[in-house]
Amino acid sequence: VPAVGRHWTAHRLKIPGTGARAQLTRVAVNGHTVIAFGDEVWASGAHAAFAEVSHDDGRTWTPVTVDSPGGVAVVTAVTAMSNGFTAVGTYGPAGDRDVVVWTSPNGDGWLPQTPAGPGLSGPGIQQLSGLTAIGTALTGVGFTATPTAEHPTLWRVPSR
């Protein structure tokens, strides 16, 4: 029986920015590249997305800037694709959050986009909580919530 996954090495990473604490919560692998997303929590209680990337199967790690609309966002899902990586998250004030989508060909730099439409933007809270890819086609699942209702969201971006 191979010993794959039986031996682990801990890496202590520096908290990005000026956060009081941080945690990594999402990970995706594409070849030898591993991208890990998380959020740092500031003293005020606000959260900001951050990422670490490894191009050598997790042996060494480099912090990556994750720009977001309004400066504050939380990553809720990430997936590897045939042409790189895609991550999704939310941004905006409490009670009125919209979806943000980040793409990267190699995990080193992330381009934020703010898609519009039902389940992605508008009044209330929009969030995609799960994301998967087949080739360059994306599928995401999540919800839209207002003070009076909650509705499921299914988001699909066909192959390019």
Side-chain angles (χ1 to χ4, degrees), residues 118-137:
L120 302 173
S121 64
I125 299 170
Q126 283 71 220
Q127 178 175 316
L128 295 175
S129 305
L131 189 63
T132 191
I134 298 176
T136 60

Side-chain angles (χ1 to χ4, degrees), residues 54-130:
S54 170
H55 294 291
D56 57 7
D57 298 317
R59 287 179 195 79
T60 60
W61 292 88
T62 304
V64 179
T65 301
V66 182
D67 292 327
S68 58
V72 176
V74 175
V75 175
T76 55
V78 61
T79 191
M81 302 179 64
S82 63
N83 60 349
F85 297 92
T86 297
V88 294
T90 61
Y91 74 97
D96 190 26
R97 299 185 67 82
D98 291 331
V99 170
V100 57
V101 178
W102 293 274
T103 55
S104 175
N106 55 18
D108 290 326
W110 292 84
L111 175 66
Q113 301 169 35
T114 53
L120 302 173
S121 64
I125 299 170
Q126 283 71 220
Q127 178 175 316
L128 295 175
S129 305

Side-chain angles (χ1 to χ4, degrees), residues 19 35 41 44 68 85 87 94-95 114 133-134 145 147 154 157:
I35 185 72
V41 181
S44 66
S68 58
F85 297 92
T114 53
I134 298 176
L154 178 62
V157 178

